[in-house]
Amino acid sequence: SWVPAGGAEQLYLSPKSAFATGQAIRGGVPVCFPQFAGRGPLKKHGFARTKPWQLVSAEVGDDDALAVLRLTDDAASRMVWPHGFEAELSVRVAGQTLELELACENTGESEFEFTTALHSYLRLGALGDASLSGLAGLHYLDAVTGQTQRQRSDLLLPGSPGLQDLDRIYYQVGQP
């Protein structure tokens, strides 16, 4: 949940989400690590979103609040991904702003590759209220059709004809 000062809920939470150990929650901002989507050997989005994180610190200032959470490897994670790691998620809330930052450190003996995402579920009144810009010329994987395509226009309007079921992974995005 995130309700900015004087505002309304900004994150979506599916009413079908089960709050049970090891179960993914469809909503909020799940941390996908060490794999995004099904693009690797692990289960979809990896294991970080279904494991308990430890609160490292919490600070409250005059105009903001900061929480830092940590996830480290353990026997269960090493059974599916045999690497030592430490992931830290910093969450800062200030007025109308939510800032999230994820960092990962290799604490093991061997190199590893990973992909990650802060998989935000934003609350909208209607799909037609959303638009995306800055993606022109980029290639993407259409997760609905399984095809790789190129974004031709700069403005994408989800909910418009042909874009009701929109699930894409864009490659090499260099700017917000």
Side-chain angles (χ1 to χ4, degrees), residues 24-134:
I25 297 170
R26 187 173 186 191
V29 185
V31 176
C32 301
F33 174 86
Q35 172 183 305
F36 178 70
R39 304 179 58 81
L42 301 175
K43 66 180 182 175
K44 185 175 183 180
H45 295 324
F47 52 76
R49 66 188 182 140
T50 60
K51 293 186 71 64
W53 289 60
Q54 177 185 28
L55 179 63
V56 175
S57 65
E59 302 172 13
V60 177
D62 292 338
D63 299 321
D64 68 345
L66 171 68
V68 178
L69 300 118
R70 181 176 296 143
L71 179 67
T72 58
D73 61 286
D74 59 18
S77 71
R78 287 188 300 272
M79 286 179 66
V80 295
W81 197 64
H83 302 288
F85 71 92
E86 180 176 283
E88 276 196 359
L89 177 66
S90 299
V91 181
R92 180 181 302 277
V93 178
Q96 300 292 313
T97 305
L98 173 67
E99 297 175 4
L100 303 169
E101 181 178 314
L102 180 64
C104 178
E105 180 179 349
N106 182 344
T107 60
E109 300 294 321
S110 61
E111 293 181 359
F112 61 80
E113 292 184 9
F114 67 95
T115 56
T116 187
L118 297 173
H119 195 314
S120 306
Y121 285 82
L122 303 176
R123 180 177 294 280
L124 297 171
L127 188 55
D129 293 342
S131 65
L132 298 167
S133 62

